Amino acid sequence: MTDIIIYHNPDCETSRNTLAMIRNAGVEPHVVEYLKTPPSRPLLMHLIERAGITPRQLLREKGTPYAQRGLGDERLTDTALVDAMMAHPILINRPLVVTPLGVRLCRPSEAVLDILPTPQQGAFAKEDGERVVGADGNRIPSP
């Protein structure tokens, strides 16, 4: 059994597509609805480090208090950005996926394919109809 965790927002199409691709690999992940159960500060810092990104790269702008909080200010420290994400979990971009092969912010959703330890079990198309995996279970190259 492969242990996979997805920090998920069911209202987000990208997050739903990512979850569906994990399931298309024959894996039922541990789903953490991070808006209901936000990660602790140490866990969030660990996820950021393992994903090889900065807090700014994890920061979500759309549909959040990003602008109202002045988070576009490049002078803000990583600590200040993480403080904002802890105070307003909606600022955490999603989905974050943890697998035995690494941690990835899966934007676009097919980025999850790079860290799934098991292959896709068949064709997969995103909710918008874009085909990303063929019937053979292999990734379809982007045009």
Side-chain angles (χ1 to χ4, degrees), residues 90-102:
I90 192 71
L91 288 164
I92 301 171
N93 214 340
R94 74 274 182 162
L96 267 172
V97 177
V98 180
T99 80
L101 300 180

Side-chain angles (χ1 to χ4, degrees), residues 13 17 21 108-110 124-132:
E13 182 177 335
N17 283 323
M21 277 185 264
S109 55
E110 57 268 26
F124 182 84
K126 293 182 184 182
E127 290 180 9
D128 67 4
E130 179 188 354
R131 293 185 39 194
V132 293

